[in-house]
Amino acid sequence: MSPLPVLFLYIFTVCVSAACPSQHYDSSGACCSQCPPGEGVTTPCSDGNGTGCTACVPGQTFSNSRSHTEQCLDCTGCGANMKVVSPCNRTHDTVCECSADFYWDEETSRCERCQICPPGFGAVEACSPRQDSGCVACPNMTYSDVDSPSAQCVACTLCTDSQVMLQTCTSISDTICLDKNMPQLIGANVGRTTPADGLLTLKDASGQNIIPVYCSIMGAVVVGLIVYVAVKRWKTCQKPQGTKSGPQGTDVEAQKNQNNDSGVCVDPCTTPSGGKTRVSELSSSRLRDLVFTLSLQHPVNWRHLASELGYDIAAIDEFEQGNNNGPGAAKAFLVHWSRMENATVDNLCQALRAIGRQDVIGLLQECNMGRHLV
Ligand SMILES: *[C@@H]1O[C@H](CO)[C@@H](O)[C@H](O)[C@H]1NC(C)=O
Ligand SMILES: *[C@@H]1O[C@H](CO)[C@@H](O)[C@H](O)[C@H]1NC(C)=O
Ligand SMILES: *[C@@H]1O[C@H](CO)[C@@H](O)[C@H](O)[C@H]1NC(C)=O
């Protein structure tokens, strides 16, 4: 073929294409018009009427081409284990991809679940819609302590110079370092030292599990101290005080309690001999504690005690007026009552119990152990 006819043929073709994009003509010889994207052909061109087009239904049908034959197509639905990336509209079909933890498998043409890498294995690539994770055993000095389709092996923590290695890194657990100065676990990647240094440190520490040993010793010391103090106190308070005392011995004992510093306790409410002790015979420090405690801010104070012991409101008010308020009034009342015939410790204890101030009874113990409130 010579160049000239070829050129003519080309020009002819171009001109025809420009005049009739579909390059199709109906029976009458008229060019068939095209439906644009988003519209589908409903009636083919004929008798010079052109092509009949109708808009596609959003979300149901679409057409992505300019055509004189193509109808609207049905939108694709996403398959199992897939999610919609962009919904179907009049010009574009639905775009789907595999859901999280699934990848597209070309062989099965389905979304398959990504491999879950167990501890000791890491994902080569994080699981993605287009790629399986692919698990590999964690190389030296890295570890993975999770079941995961995405987690990669993590570099082991290296203990610093100021730390002791308690446990070497394994493929499933990180190094455990202990600060030499502050006994606390370090879990962060703060290493500057080389693995060799870390191993050396471990040997220096001579033992992998210092923490349990350390805790046991601390625990034993604390428990020992508590037991020691408890036994000491218990013995002190249990030592019988009035073994040789009869009714006549009581006065002598009480006198002793006032003055000596033996560290021996007697509960006046429970000791048979103590109960008949007169309140006036209690040591001055006991009486001072009693007055002080009963005059403290408390819903139940000396006024209630006085009432329980038979004083009427007028009499109680009188104690208060003469001595302002506070310890003075309580003391005046106690001094007054202690002169009464029935002013025994026994009766005082009973009254204190009746008004619900058992806590005050404890103060009546004669211990001489420096248990003073003031
Ligand atoms: C084409 O149009 C004519 C009138 O313009 C009408 O009579 C005829 O039915 C049409 N043909 C088709 C196939 O629609
Ligand atoms: C249809 O969806 C495509 C993406 O699939 C988007 O680019 C386009 O803008 C959308 N058209 C309309 C009219 O929403
Ligand atoms: C990892 O450690 C093992 C044994 O401790 C050794 O045989 C292997 O060569 C090491 N691999 C690398 C890459 O260091």
Side-chain angles (χ1 to χ4, degrees):
M1 263 216 236
S2 65
L4 208 57
V6 172
L7 184 63
F8 273 120
L9 187 65
Y10 175 74
I11 290 170
F12 175 79
T13 310
V14 168
C15 290
V16 164
S17 314
C20 181
S22 69
Q23 295 180 47
H24 281 272
Y25 305 87
D26 64 17
S27 50
S28 71
C31 176
C32 287
S33 58
Q34 293 176 306
C35 298
E39 290 182 17
V41 174
T42 44
T43 48
C45 59
S46 67
D47 303 332
N49 286 6
T51 311
C53 300
T54 309
C56 301
V57 183
Q60 290 177 20
T61 61
F62 74 99
S63 166
N64 56 9
S65 62
R66 194 172 287 278
S67 163
H68 70 285
T69 52
E70 200 119 315
Q71 300 176 334
C72 289
L73 302 172
D74 287 338
C75 293
T76 311
C78 291
N81 303 320
M82 295 186 109
K83 63 179 186 218
V84 174
V85 176
S86 66
C88 185
N89 62 29
R90 282 170 29 185
T91 55
H92 292 80
D93 193 8
T94 322
V95 179
C96 307
E97 72 175 19
C98 296
S99 317
D101 293 350
F102 288 87
Y103 73 100
W104 182 255
D105 189 330
E106 296 291 350
E107 283 177 24
T108 62
S109 295
R110 274 199 321 222
C111 287
E112 303 285 358
R113 188 176 285 279
C114 287
Q115 275 180 280
I116 306 287
C117 303
F121 291 80
V124 180
E125 298 274 349
C127 170
S128 77
R130 281 162 300 281
Q131 180 131 38
D132 190 7
S133 30
C135 304
V136 288
C138 292
N140 288 358
M141 293 313 292
T142 66
Y143 74 100
S144 167
D145 56 4
V146 288
D147 284 308
S148 166
S150 306
Q152 301 183 344
C153 298
V154 184
C156 295
T157 298
L158 299 172
C159 300
T160 62
D161 291 338
S162 62
Q163 295 169 350
V164 175
M165 189 191 286
L166 288 187
Q167 201 168 314
T168 43
C169 189
T170 69
S171 64
I172 59 165
S173 65
D174 194 8
T175 325
I176 298 178
C177 305
L178 182 72
D179 200 299
K180 283 174 184 166
N181 305 320
M182 245 187 319
Q184 91 188 21
L185 289 173
I186 310 294
N189 283 317
V190 287
R192 258 187 11 249
T193 47
T194 64
D197 285 345
L199 289 168
L200 203 66
T201 317
L202 172 67
K203 278 176 190 155
D204 289 347
S206 66
Q208 298 202 346
N209 287 323
I210 286 180
I211 297 256
V213 175
Y214 176 81
C215 291
S216 307
I217 292 172
M218 283 300 283
V221 168
V222 170
V223 168
L225 271 173
I226 290 170
V227 168
Y228 174 78
V229 170
V231 166
K232 187 95 177 164
R233 277 207 81 112
W234 181 75
K235 271 192 177 160
T236 308
C237 285
Q238 287 297 309
K239 229 172 241 172
Q241 167 64 21
T243 39
K244 61 180 182 209
S245 71
Q248 317 98 311
T250 310
D251 287 356
V252 182
E253 289 303 318
Q255 201 62 35
K256 250 190 176 175
N257 290 341
Q258 270 179 358
N259 302 322
N260 70 9
D261 206 0
S262 61
V264 172
C265 300
V266 167
D267 185 343
C269 291
T270 55
T271 311
S273 60
K276 294 182 194 76
T277 310
R278 291 189 56 75
V279 167
S280 55
E281 288 163 351
L282 288 171
S283 69
S284 55
S285 60
R286 290 293 82 83
L287 290 171
R288 197 175 56 213
D289 289 355
L290 196 61
V291 165
F292 178 78
T293 310
L294 286 172
S295 57
L296 281 177
Q297 201 80 37
H298 190 286
V300 180
N301 56 26
W302 69 270
R303 291 177 62 95
H304 301 80
L305 179 64
S307 174
E308 179 65 28
L309 288 169
Y311 290 83
D312 59 18
I313 300 290
I316 293 170
D317 283 346
E318 216 165 292
F319 291 129
E320 212 151 58
Q321 276 159 20
N323 300 280
N324 299 321
N325 206 340
K331 185 180 178 184
F333 145 70
L334 209 63
V335 167
H336 188 272
W337 181 68
S338 66
R339 294 195 190 109
M340 300 278 195
E341 204 171 8
N342 65 347
T344 61
V345 171
D346 210 13
N347 287 336
L348 179 60
C349 290
Q350 258 178 40
L352 286 170
R353 271 194 209 102
I355 62 171
R357 290 298 304 263
Q358 281 86 341
D359 57 314
V360 182
I361 293 174
L363 293 174
L364 298 175
Q365 280 197 359
E366 294 284 6
C367 285
N368 290 324
M369 280 170 61
R371 270 183 81 242
H372 303 283
L373 284 173
V374 278

